[in-house]
Amino acid sequence: MDLAERALHVRLEPGMTVGDVRGLAPRIAPYLGAWGLRVEPIGNGASVVVTLLQADPLGTGPLPCPDAGPVLIGVDESGSRLIVDDPSSIGHAVIVGQSGSGKSGFLYALLSAYARYKRAGYPIRVDGIDPSGILLRPFPGSVLGFADPGAVEEYLTRAVAEMDDRISRIPANADELPQGYDYPLRVVTVEEYPAVLRYLDAIDPKMGKRIRALVARLLSESRKAGMRVILVAQRADASLIGGFERAQCSFRLSYRSDPDAVKMLHDADPSVIAEHSRALPGIGLLSVPGRSLIRVRTPWLAGEYAEYVRRVNK
């Protein structure tokens, strides 16, 4: 029988959980002659099925990004597609990874899907701050580059003012603003947030503090106003993306990065984190509410940037 098809039925000792076995899997796999282990509970969780994997189930090639249907977040190790029908169900997000790890490819896929939803009549608006001026160039209203540092503060000040206005309009019988064409889901994307802060700190430390305060307000208060924040970084340095910011981001996606950076965003076995520091492009660790840590391959657009622009603007 092929090794990839072999499975073990394991009865857990009292007090053990499925998570315990999953945490041990990276250490156990080599002794079983396997690349890795997939651990799934049986019934009430007193037993698990441990499948021995001969190779990485996420494969080595890219995951094509569809241009129709729901938002594709990725595919997990079992081959299940992780999809989102309603973009508002995604909370504030932090997405990190080294250059060339797949971070930009995922953002191209995600934001072009949002543009597709908008064309189909879903009320959504995307804009933000982009030091390079590339990611958000197709989205009007974004601050591109650092030609005018004050424009960054002005943009965030307006975003917070809009949030306050939206909150004031929440009906007395509701705890969040109903989404509609007058108040679409607004996605505020801050590309390379640490680079933005470092630059502004060097220009005017007081401005840097004000930017941090404005972003903190958006993260803590804007969800009920129908707004979402996406923070993008090569590394989630604690001095730049602190514990408060990370705690407000329920969607956390890490591509290849150093172990300390991954550890700040995910509660995972050290061996899983160490292995992820060598991950292939397009493979990420995803933490979302209600799920154990998920290892995923995220979508990629053939043609990358040119295809991204085409999909956003078509």
Side-chain angles (χ1 to χ4, degrees), residues 6 46 53 56 74 85 89 92 116 173 178 197 223 238 257-258 261 275 290 294 308 312:
R6 288 176 54 192
L53 304 173
D56 188 346
D85 291 307
S89 65
H92 300 314
R116 182 177 75 245
N173 62 347
L197 292 178
R223 179 161 184 147
S257 190
D258 65 274
E275 181 65 27
I294 313 167
Y308 166 59
V312 172

Side-chain angles (χ1 to χ4, degrees), residues 199-220:
Y199 179 76
L200 296 178
D201 285 343
I203 297 281
D204 181 354
K206 292 183 178 179
M207 181 184 291
K209 290 182 179 179
R210 293 195 296 270
I211 295 302
R212 287 174 172 83
L214 290 167
V215 170
R217 281 209 61 200
L218 288 173
L219 288 170
S220 63

Side-chain angles (χ1 to χ4, degrees), residues 49-60:
V49 172
V50 179
T51 304
L52 281 64
L53 304 173
Q54 189 174 29
D56 188 346
L58 296 179
T60 58

